[in-house]
Amino acid sequence: MAGNGSVLNDKVLVLNRCYQAVQITTVQRAICHLVKGSAKVITPDWTTHTLEEWIKASQFYANGNGRMVRSPNLSFLAPDAIYLVSYDRLPRVEVVFSRANLLMRDRYTCQYCGKSVKNPKDRTIDHILPRSRGGKTTWENVVLCCRKCNIKKGNRTPEEAGMKLLTKPKAPRWESLIMEDFPQEKKDIWRHFLDFAGIPEI
């Protein structure tokens, strides 16, 4: 199967057979599942299609969409979501604590002043209760902070420094975290499936 490289690397939402989102994969890997028969394409109107059915249905769903996967003998629209016909495990709920995941959770925004800190030079990680005073490196005690606010806070708690957190930090759900890096049109399509699973608005 050939195709535009960017299309084959595009992201596809993967649902289990109970229609719960369980992971994100690429179009290329999604096609492998479809070829093996272990998955079907699912559309926002909850219609499901085998690969053969999707090849025919693509003529209806494409509507001028440029996200086509082509081979010498056929072409079809890259799916936005698939569901695994025999996979019934529950979605992941725990997110590994890491600097990169913290940046996404806090949306590259200082949690004290609200300033965007996409510039790495202006980006620091703040322990709400300082480590020197027994503070742990946990989702609930760590936030993204601009350098200016970090210097102002110093080795104090926010209350002692006369500062307030924009939001109470907590461990993120993987669904909301992973959606941060995707364009709005992709979020709009996936939101339909995530809402069905009872996942709160991002």
Side-chain angles (χ1 to χ4, degrees), residues 139-170:
W139 285 115
E140 295 77 14
N141 191 52
V142 176
V143 294
L144 180 60
C145 180
C146 72
R147 193 166 298 279
K148 182 178 179 180
C149 285
N150 200 320
I151 292 173
K152 177 182 177 181
K153 179 173 176 290
N155 193 39
R156 297 177 291 178
T157 65
E159 293 78 12
E160 292 169 346
M163 302 167 70
K164 282 188 176 182
L165 286 163
L166 297 179
T167 57
K168 184 177 180 180
K170 61 183 180 179

Side-chain angles (χ1 to χ4, degrees), residues 97-128 138-139 141-147 149-150 153 163-167 169:
F97 185 91
S98 70
R99 185 183 181 89
N101 285 340
L102 179 69
L103 296 179
M104 285 195 287
R105 182 200 70 176
D106 291 348
R107 303 189 179 191
Y108 296 87
T109 300
C110 175
Q111 293 302 292
Y112 292 107
C113 70
K115 174 185 175 182
S116 173
V117 284
K118 291 197 174 183
N119 183 346
K121 293 182 180 180
D122 192 33
R123 188 185 299 159
T124 67
I125 304 300
D126 176 64
H127 286 72
I128 299 168
T138 62
W139 285 115
N141 191 52
V142 176
V143 294
L144 180 60
C145 180
C146 72
R147 193 166 298 279
C149 285
N150 200 320
K153 179 173 176 290
M163 302 167 70
K164 282 188 176 182
L165 286 163
L166 297 179
T167 57

